[in-house]
Amino acid sequence: MGTSILQHLNSAEINRAHAIALFADPDRLARKPRCSRTKEFSQIRSAPHALTHAYIQPNSPIAFSRLVFDLDWHQRKHKFHNLPLRFLAECDAWENELSLPSPNWIALSRDKNSAHIGYELSTPVGRHAHARAHPLNYLAAIETSMGEKLGADVGYSGALCKNPLNEAWDFYGGYKHGRELGELAEWVTLPERRFERLNRTPCGEVGRNVFLFDKIRFWAYDHRKNFRASTYEIWEQAVIASAIAINAENYDHLPFLAGRGLLPMADCTHVGKSVARWTWLHHGTRTLTAAFSKLQSQRGAKGAAASAAMKRERREEQIIAAIAQLTASGELATRGKVAKLIGCSKSTLSENYKRFFQGTLQ
């Protein structure tokens, strides 16, 4: 973390920044984030100046570096109205109370049971015009499932969050390291996806971006032939215009997305450009025969198996290192302590990595 990005902060805010170094990393914030002192009006400032404001844009326009959830538990009808967020933060009771991992940071309102909490990602997920759709789909599914368990505000757009470095909020630091999407996915049940070749009835179960992407790609498949005599620029503008029009219809008719508002114009443009580029190059130039589909399925299965093996190997290395660390410090390396060190659930260790604890640990 460069010191220049902290140049306008006071000593207390700098201490917070060092406690959650991933948040104040200039490579993970926008170069010029939106920020606000009152949330009523935001402005674009350089990152060092934006960090002095009570509210700040948590993710850059080109990548998601963190998941942020808006918890309005002070509302009388909220299912967690009687569960103090301050208790969860001070006692690190997220796993016991909600079966979720500890967030990296909590920015808590002083006068009510309300907070923004952040989960830092080890590997940011691209959201630019050339970004791959699969990681975005995976991220959206995890965000939706975690949000349901947290009772998070489904209308929260993520454009601004409570700045955990700012003294307007009570601050709690949590887990020190970033997490991979696969690690977060272990804590939730993801919605099943149907992999029909052309499922033309997306219902928004994994987020607005994915719903818009599915809607616009089907529009592009149907209309590509009408633009064969046109230039790419004309085609791209048509796809973007269609994306903007679909977004303008809002998402209130979808049970998973009702009340979440519209996507920003920049997101519509990114989705439109991505779909336009791919369909211009590929759609209509190749027939997806049964043999080709079978080959793609085989490749996907091999890739999934390899990814699972790498993930398991990485988890085993983390377990061994955690056991060694606890033993060296004279502590008993229990499943609970190891799970806390590596950021997973105790049940995951019991179910999948039992052999590391047989005979010696509880």
Side-chain angles (χ1 to χ4, degrees), residues 38-301:
T38 64
K39 197 172 65 171
E40 301 301 324
F41 171 77
S42 66
Q43 56 187 333
I44 297 174
R45 303 293 301 273
S46 65
H49 282 94
L51 284 173
T52 66
H53 289 65
Y55 297 90
I56 191 170
Q57 177 184 334
N59 288 295
S60 78
I62 61 172
F64 290 102
S65 297
R66 53 192 56 89
L67 288 175
V68 179
F69 297 96
D70 181 15
L71 308 185
D72 291 327
W73 293 5
H74 63 285
Q75 296 175 355
R76 188 165 298 280
K77 293 183 179 181
H78 196 283
K79 62 181 180 180
F80 296 134
H81 176 70
N82 294 319
L83 178 59
L85 281 162
R86 195 175 301 276
F87 160 75
L88 294 180
E90 291 179 348
C91 299
D92 193 20
W94 302 89
E95 179 175 355
N96 291 337
E97 298 292 338
L98 301 174
S99 297
L100 282 172
S102 301
N104 293 84
W105 51 265
I106 303 101
L108 180 66
S109 297
R110 293 195 173 99
D111 58 345
K112 58 184 179 181
N113 196 26
S114 174
H116 281 174
I117 67 172
Y119 290 87
E120 300 288 337
L121 303 179
S122 299
T123 305
V125 177
R127 59 189 298 201
H128 49 81
H130 302 284
R132 294 173 55 232
H134 177 71
L136 280 170
N137 293 352
Y138 194 29
L139 176 70
I142 293 170
E143 181 183 29
T144 298
S145 297
M146 290 182 67
E148 289 175 354
K149 292 184 77 170
L150 287 163
D153 180 4
V154 296
Y156 174 59
S157 68
L160 290 174
C161 75
K162 290 180 170 70
N163 178 5
L165 309 189
N166 194 273
E167 293 185 288
W169 320 110
D170 283 346
F171 165 76
Y172 294 90
Y175 188 63
K176 300 293 185 183
H177 309 290
R179 294 183 174 92
E180 297 292 345
L181 291 179
E183 295 178 58
L184 293 175
E186 292 179 357
W187 295 81
V188 294
T189 301
L190 299 182
E192 294 184 6
R193 291 203 62 189
R194 296 183 177 182
F195 290 97
E196 291 90 346
R197 186 162 62 91
L198 286 179
N199 173 21
R200 287 180 173 262
T201 55
C203 58
E205 70 275 17
V206 291
R208 292 171 296 172
N209 290 77
V210 177
F211 175 82
L212 181 63
F213 174 82
D214 284 337
K215 291 289 287 186
I216 194 58
R217 71 187 176 97
F218 294 134
W219 181 92
Y221 298 160
D222 292 338
H223 292 81
R224 172 69 178 89
K225 61 182 180 294
N226 300 331
F227 289 81
R228 297 200 183 281
S230 302
T231 64
Y232 174 75
E233 288 72 19
I234 293 176
W235 165 247
E236 182 183 72
Q237 290 304 312
V239 177
I240 292 173
S242 181
I244 292 171
I246 292 171
N247 182 62
E249 295 174 0
N250 79 45
Y251 306 90
D252 290 343
H253 63 291
L254 301 166
F256 294 100
L257 303 180
R260 300 195 66 174
L262 303 182
L263 285 170
M265 190 69 69
D267 285 26
C268 298
T269 302
H270 291 157
V271 171
K273 285 184 175 180
S274 177
V275 171
R277 183 177 63 256
W278 191 92
T279 50
W280 183 266
L281 293 174
H282 300 286
H283 195 64
T285 63
R286 177 175 63 192
T287 301
L288 292 177
T289 63
F292 178 75
S293 297
K294 183 178 180 180
L295 175 62
Q296 292 295 82
S297 298
Q298 292 171 346
R299 288 173 176 170

Side-chain angles (χ1 to χ4, degrees), residues 1 15-24 104-105 164-165 171-174:
M1 177 173 57
N15 288 336
R16 291 185 177 193
H18 287 303
I20 50 172
L22 288 174
F23 184 84
N104 293 84
W105 51 265
L165 309 189
F171 165 76
Y172 294 90

Side-chain angles (χ1 to χ4, degrees), residues 175-177 317-334 337-343:
Y175 188 63
K176 300 293 185 183
H177 309 290
E317 291 174 352
Q318 292 175 330
I319 293 171
I320 293 170
I323 291 174
Q325 178 182 335
L326 290 167
T327 303
S329 62
E331 297 185 57
L332 181 62
T334 64
K337 291 179 179 178
V338 171
K340 187 173 183 179
L341 274 177
I342 66 177

